[in-house]
């Protein structure tokens, strides 16, 4: 199985990296910001840089949609996993069109309201995971697996 792990650097990337027992034995690649924390954490991993800032930045949404198109057509992942943020949106929509399975993990610090990325990705996700039972009021089809930490 080939896995695409996509997310912003910082906490989102840390969340994905903490899932190492789930992805370490699989063919994988990463998409994140070209920042020192990402380069350091993912040293030796296949890494595709994406554009930032992403929050409400239409120019970078367009640029990251092109990155998503190019990377996904080259790599053809079976599964795309993200814990956010906005960079995940084009990867999920293009990945869905290509037949990839989609798993999204809503961030830990959201207990009673959704993220913008979560709202956009929830309708197309194959598995939407929350870390608090309260979030199932917002995302009724979500699965609460508890904290990643």
């Amino acid at each position: 199985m080939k896995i695409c792990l996509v997310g912003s650097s910082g906490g989102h990337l840390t969340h994905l990296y903490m899932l190492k027992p789930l992805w370490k034995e699989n063919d994988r690649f990463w998409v994140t910001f070209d920042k020192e924390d990402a380069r350091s954490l993912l040293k030796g991993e296949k890494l595709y840089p994406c554009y930032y800032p992403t929050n409400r930045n239409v120019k970078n949404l367009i640029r990251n949609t092109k990155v998503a198109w190019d990377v996904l057509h080259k790599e053809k992942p079976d599964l795309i996993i993200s814990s956010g943020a906005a960079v995940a949106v084009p990867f999920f929509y293009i990945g869905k069109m290509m037949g990839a399975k989609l798993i999204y993990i809503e961030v830990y610090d959201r207990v009673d309201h959704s993220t913008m990325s979560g709202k956009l990705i929830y309708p197309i996700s194959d598995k939407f995971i929350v870390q608090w039972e309260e979030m199932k009021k917002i995302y009724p089809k979500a699965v609460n697996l508890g904290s990643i930490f």
Side-chain angles (χ1 to χ4, degrees):
M1 174 182 299
K2 185 182 270 191
I3 301 173
C4 169
L5 297 130
V6 57
S8 305
S9 61
H12 297 285
L13 180 60
T14 301
H15 274 136
L16 291 174
Y17 198 83
M18 291 174 77
L19 299 173
K20 188 174 185 175
L22 300 175
W23 53 255
K24 70 179 179 180
E25 299 298 326
N26 292 287
D27 186 11
R28 65 193 171 273
F29 63 95
W30 297 80
V31 179
T32 192
F33 303 155
D34 186 14
K35 290 186 164 187
E36 183 55 40
D37 66 324
R39 288 189 302 271
S40 175
L41 184 66
L42 301 176
K43 188 174 182 173
E45 294 284 323
K46 186 184 290 188
L47 175 61
Y48 292 95
C50 58
Y51 295 94
Y52 64 92
T54 55
N55 292 347
R56 292 162 184 79
N57 188 309
V58 175
K59 178 182 176 185
N60 284 340
L61 172 62
I62 293 166
R63 293 166 81 187
N64 284 331
T65 299
K66 174 145 181 23
V67 170
W69 181 268
D70 293 345
V71 168
L72 293 176
H73 278 85
K74 176 182 178 183
E75 294 288 346
K76 297 177 178 40
D78 303 298
L79 175 64
I80 301 172
I81 304 173
S82 183
S83 61
V87 68
V89 175
F91 279 84
F92 271 58
Y93 276 86
I94 293 170
K96 185 72 163 185
M97 290 187 301
M98 293 178 61
K101 295 295 182 189
L102 310 173
I103 298 175
Y104 188 82
I105 305 162
E106 187 66 287
V107 293
Y108 180 77
D109 63 349
R110 294 302 174 112
V111 178
D112 57 8
H113 63 283
S114 62
T115 61
M116 177 68 75
S117 300
K119 282 187 216 177
L120 293 170
I121 290 172
Y122 177 71
I124 65 165
S125 292
D126 294 294
K127 186 73 69 179
F128 196 94
I129 298 169
V130 294
Q131 299 181 60
W132 296 98
E133 192 62 29
E134 294 86 344
M135 290 299 286
K136 290 189 68 176
K137 294 175 188 162
I138 297 163
Y139 302 116
K141 296 182 296 180
V143 175
N144 175 16
L145 297 181
S147 172
I148 292 174
F149 293 107

